[in-house]
Amino acid sequence: IMKRIFEDYIKILYDMPVPEVFKEFHKKAVAISEAEKNVLAAVLDYQNDPLKAMLMQNLQKDLSGQAAEMTTEEISLMNKYGLR
């Protein structure tokens, strides 16, 4: 179910119209979402490749940090353009 949620979310991100000032932010959000989907797929496949699953879990920690930075950037952009 989680893999499907990520796939649906990423499709929404790709289809979403984005104002020019948010284009770079949007690209980062898509990239992080794609990476998180790949981590999830590797973890779900742990029985076939346990080493890959373990390495991908370590990557997830980095992705969580990037997602937190994105939240800060999003708030900053929204404040800058009066969207809050």
Side-chain angles (χ1 to χ4, degrees), residues 40-58:
L40 179 62
V43 170
L44 291 174
D45 192 41
Y46 74 94
Q47 290 180 332
N48 292 321
D49 195 344
L51 181 59
K52 182 178 179 182
M54 185 177 71
L55 293 171
M56 292 300 260
Q57 282 183 314
N58 289 334

Side-chain angles (χ1 to χ4, degrees), residues 10-77:
I10 291 167
K11 183 179 180 334
I12 289 168
L13 286 177
Y14 275 115
D15 293 343
M16 180 185 300
V18 180
E20 190 63 36
V21 295
F22 287 96
K23 291 272 187 203
E24 288 305 312
F25 175 84
H26 189 257
K27 286 179 189 177
K28 290 181 206 174
V30 170
I32 289 172
S33 297
E34 289 277 4
E36 287 179 328
K37 181 188 79 167
N38 293 337
V39 167
L40 179 62
V43 170
L44 291 174
D45 192 41
Y46 74 94
Q47 290 180 332
N48 292 321
D49 195 344
L51 181 59
K52 182 178 179 182
M54 185 177 71
L55 293 171
M56 292 300 260
Q57 282 183 314
N58 289 334
L59 175 62
Q60 179 59 44
K61 293 173 188 172
D62 182 51
L63 290 172
S64 293
Q66 289 180 37
E69 290 173 9
M70 291 288 296
T71 299
T72 302
E73 184 179 349
E74 178 182 21
I75 291 168
S76 176
L77 283 168

